Amino acid sequence: MIRLNLPRDPYWITLPHGVRLQVRPIDTAIDTAAREMAVEQVRAEAKGLPRPVLFGRITQALATASGQLAILAWEGVLPAEGEEPLPVTPEAVAQLMAIPELAQAFSRQYFAPLNRLIAEGEASGAVLGGTLGAAPDTASIVPTTAA
């Protein structure tokens, strides 16, 4: 059993340092497109990178791609100079996601509804006392002493 309760309308998530993001709801299209964009972004630079650095680049690329597809508006994001809010652009999202604390918080919160849905579905497997719990034993009894 799985409960279909993913958000359907844009919503706000709050990140550290007073940053708020209005995002599109996560769905298969955004998830798949973000993963494809991240792979393409990292593929060109993957050769010769140590594994931990490569993992970090993939993580950042996924956060960046997800943000570029999902972020509709934001609060608390300013340019290097000035007090006017920075417009949401792919370049500005990439700059925001280059900050590890914000990229991690964004990924954790944005993918949370999907991760909860997946986790709930994983709990739906057979359990003791369920249909498999009542199945007869198929193994024979093994003697406790060896010859």
Side-chain angles (χ1 to χ4, degrees):
M1 179 178 355
I2 196 161
R3 190 172 310 282
L4 299 177
N5 59 356
L6 288 175
R8 293 181 178 202
D9 298 314
Y11 60 95
W12 288 88
I13 59 177
T14 302
L15 304 183
H17 308 290
V19 174
R20 292 185 68 224
L21 306 175
Q22 184 185 38
V23 295
R24 286 183 175 86
I26 183 74
D27 62 13
T28 302
I30 289 176
D31 182 53
T32 304
R35 290 176 194 283
E36 178 67 23
M37 290 169 61
V39 166
E40 289 302 315
Q41 181 180 347
V42 175
R43 181 175 281 150
E45 62 188 57
K47 291 182 180 167
L49 285 179
R51 187 175 174 89
V53 174
L54 181 59
F55 181 75
R57 287 295 299 126
I58 291 169
T59 301
Q60 181 181 353
L62 181 57
T64 300
S66 300
Q68 290 169 338
L69 293 168
I71 298 172
L72 300 170
W74 55 27
E75 298 172 353
V77 180
L78 304 174
E81 296 187 20
E83 295 301 316
E84 288 297 315
L86 192 63
V88 177
T89 65
E91 296 79 18
V93 170
Q95 285 183 307
L96 185 71
M97 295 304 156
I99 302 167
E101 181 182 15
L102 298 179
Q104 291 166 3
F106 167 74
S107 294
R108 187 173 46 254
Q109 291 184 54
Y110 185 62
F111 286 97
L114 186 58
N115 290 336
R116 279 192 301 270
L117 184 71
I118 292 167
E120 182 176 295
E122 288 176 356
S124 300
V127 294
L128 189 58
T131 55
L132 290 181
D137 291 336
T138 56
S140 59
I141 304 293
V142 177
T144 56
T145 59

